[in-house]
Amino acid sequence: MKIFKKILTRFWYFFDILMFIAAVLTINIVLFTQVSLLAGGISLAISFVAVGLASEIIEEHIESKKGGD
């Protein structure tokens, strides 16, 4: 049973990342096409900041799980 729990945990982790990327893409495309170029540019900048912060948090989480000397 532990293997299924491990597989589901990893699947859920990647599913969350894919859904975040899909949401960011959808918001950016809608703002660029339906609202204005300025709104699309601002949403793109916010998206880059969000992805950068998320990558830093994920990196810290991975680093904290590694064992030290």
Side-chain angles (χ1 to χ4, degrees):
M1 293 305 282
K2 286 184 180 183
I3 191 152
F4 291 117
K5 186 175 182 180
K6 195 173 194 178
I7 289 172
L8 286 175
T9 303
R10 288 186 188 248
F11 171 75
W12 201 252
Y13 176 74
F14 288 115
F15 183 74
D16 284 342
I17 292 172
L18 287 174
M19 290 299 106
F20 175 75
I21 291 170
V24 167
L25 285 173
T26 302
I27 290 170
N28 286 323
I29 289 170
V30 167
L31 286 174
F32 267 118
T33 58
Q34 300 297 321
V35 180
S36 71
L37 192 60
L38 178 63
I42 291 170
S43 73
L44 195 59
I46 292 171
S47 298
F48 286 146
V49 169
V51 169
L53 287 173
S55 69
E56 290 294 324
I57 291 170
I58 290 170
E59 182 183 2
E60 284 181 18
H61 181 70
I62 290 172
E63 295 271 329
S64 69
K65 284 193 170 190
K66 290 183 180 176
D69 289 335

